[in-house]
Amino acid sequence: MKIAVIGGGSTYTPELIEGFARRADVLPFTELVLHDINADRLEVVGGLARRILDRDGLADRLKLTTSRTEAVDGASAVLIQLRIGGQQARMVDETLPGKFGLLGQETTGPGGFAKALRTVPVVLDIADEVVRRAEPDAWIVDFTNPVGIVVRALLDAGHRALGLCNVAIGFQRRLARQFGVEPERVRLDHAGLNHLSWIRGVRVDGVDHLPALLDGPAGEAVAREVDAPIELLRTIRAIPSYYLHYYYCTDQTVHEQRTGNTRAAEVLEIENTLLDMYRDPALNHKPELLEQRGGAYYSEAAAGLVTSLLTDDGAHHYVDLRNDGTIAGLPDEAVVEVPARVGRSGARPEPVAPLPPEMLGLVQAVTAYEVLTIEAARTGSRSVALRALLANPLVRQWDVAVPLLDELLKANEKHLPAFT
C-alpha cells in the first residue's frame, strides 16, 4: 500500500505524518512518498518526517523525491497539497483587490479566483499522471485550496477524487471539548460549499445542543471565533463558517485590511520559523507553533479519510463531493461539503435538510461562479474569466471587473500560460 503526498515540502506535512504514524496499525502502508519540486525544502521537512516515523520504527517506509512520476507510480492514494506561486502569490491575492475597494483573501473573492486560475491546470495535470502511473482504482484526496473548485474540476475531468477541509472537524473537536465528550459522539449538521458552509445542528448522542448554545452565554465565544455578531448567528439559527464573515461583514473586513497586516505576511514569518525548527536534528514531533499556521486537525482529517478509502471502514467524515441531490436547489454536478460515510467505493453523503433561502441563494451564486472559474482556468478565455468575476458575489461590478482582471492576469502571468 503506497501513499503519495504531492507538495510534501509543505510545513503542514509533519502533522500529516503524525496522523499516518498513529494509524499504522489500521492503515498498513508499505511506502509513504513525499514529493516536492523544491529539493532543499523537501529535505528539511522530510528530515523531520523521518524522525517522527522513526519513533514508531516506520522510518524505512518513507521516501523523498522530486520526481512526480516516481511519487505516484503504483500509489493507492495521492494527496495533493499545493500552493502555486507560494506565499508571494498569496500576498498578491490578499493585497491587489484592495486597490479596487474589494476584499483580499486567498480562497474567496478575486484573490480566490486568481488562486483557482493558477491551481486548476496544475492539479489536472497531476491527476492525469495519477491515471497513467498509479493503481487503477487510486484515490486523489485534495487539500489544495480553493478545494471546492479544484475537486469539481477533477470530477468534471473524470477523476476519482474527494476534497478535504479542516473547518468541520475543527468545530467538532472544539465543541466536543466544550461538552466534555469524545469527538466521535458529536455530529454536526454541516452543509454548504467549501469555505461557505453552516452548522445547523450540534448533536451529542442524538440530542441537538445548538439552540441552547446559540441562546446562551457560550454563543458569544462561538461568534467571536467565526468573527460574526452573535445577533447574526441567532437570526440565521446556525454557526457560519469563519469564511462567511467575508460575505456578511464585507465592508468592515475591507476597512480592516487597509490598516492591518496581511495573513500572508504572518504565515510567511511562521513558515520561516517552522523550517528553522524542522532543521533541528533533535526534533522528532510537530512543534506547537504549527497550530498557528492553520490547518488544525489536518492530520486527523486526512489520515482518517485515507484510511476509510483504503480499508473500507465506513467511518464518518466531512468531505467535498458531488451534490447528486444532497442539497436541494443545487445542480447534481455541484460540489458540496457535507457529512458522509466513506469506504473503498467513495463517500455516501448523509441526508441534509434543505437550506433556507438566504443560504441557498448565496450557495447558488457561488456555485455559478465556480463553474465559470473552472472553464476560465482550463481554456484561458478572457471573456469567461470576466463572466466569472461578474458572478462572484464579492466582485459583481463591470467597471471593477475589467481593470481587476487585467491586473490579476498581469500579476500572475508566469503562472497562467493558458492566458498568454
Side-chain angles (χ1 to χ4, degrees), residues 80-136:
I80 302 178
Q81 49 175 38
L82 302 174
R83 182 178 295 280
I84 308 302
Q87 296 298 334
Q88 292 73 24
R90 177 178 182 167
M91 187 77 74
V92 174
D93 294 341
E94 294 185 2
T95 57
L96 190 153
K99 294 174 58 177
F100 301 89
L102 301 177
L103 175 84
Q105 212 279 325
E106 65 156 343
T107 60
T108 60
F113 169 74
K115 185 172 188 179
L117 295 187
R118 296 192 303 267
T119 305
V120 166
V122 175
V123 172
L124 289 178
D125 186 56
I126 293 169
D128 287 342
E129 186 149 27
V130 171
V131 171
R132 293 191 300 269
R133 302 284 183 175
E135 291 293 314

Side-chain angles (χ1 to χ4, degrees), residues 207-392:
V207 178
D208 188 6
H209 291 258
L210 183 62
L213 179 64
L214 291 178
D215 295 330
E220 299 277 357
V222 173
R224 287 193 296 271
E225 192 169 328
V226 298
D227 203 7
I230 182 59
E231 294 81 8
L232 167 62
L233 275 64
R234 290 170 176 163
T235 297
I236 65 174
R237 306 308 297 171
I239 301 173
S241 158
Y242 168 83
Y243 293 87
L244 272 156
H245 90 275
Y246 297 124
Y247 295 86
Y248 291 145
C249 309
T250 309
D251 290 347
Q252 174 190 335
T253 305
V254 170
H255 174 74
E256 291 171 352
Q257 288 183 344
R258 291 194 185 111
T259 57
N261 293 328
T262 65
R263 175 61 176 162
E266 295 173 2
V267 169
L268 184 58
E269 183 176 352
I270 292 171
E271 281 204 338
N272 289 335
T273 303
L274 283 170
L275 289 170
D276 284 340
M277 297 173 74
Y278 292 177
R279 291 183 177 94
D280 180 358
L283 185 69
N284 66 352
H285 59 276
K286 68 172 185 180
E288 291 184 8
L289 180 62
L290 186 53
E291 298 293 330
Q292 298 179 34
R293 172 66 182 81
Y297 304 109
Y298 170 39
S299 63
E300 292 183 45
L305 180 56
V306 172
T307 299
S308 293
L309 290 170
L310 298 185
T311 69
D312 203 34
D313 64 11
H316 184 273
H317 298 276
Y318 301 92
V319 295
D320 293 86
L321 76 174
R322 286 285 196 207
N323 182 42
D324 287 334
T326 304
I327 295 181
L330 287 183
D332 287 346
E333 297 78 15
V335 165
V336 297
E337 190 170 284
V338 294
R341 293 284 179 178
V342 180
R344 281 199 184 95
S345 61
R348 303 183 304 279
E350 297 186 345
V352 170
L355 296 176
E358 72 278 9
M359 296 180 188
L360 180 60
L362 182 55
V363 166
Q364 288 172 330
V366 174
T367 296
Y369 150 75
E370 291 181 346
V371 172
L372 291 165
T373 299
I374 293 168
E375 184 179 350
R378 295 185 65 178
T379 64
S381 168
R382 176 182 168 82
S383 62
V384 175
L386 280 171
R387 290 166 60 201
L389 289 174
L390 292 173
N392 190 312

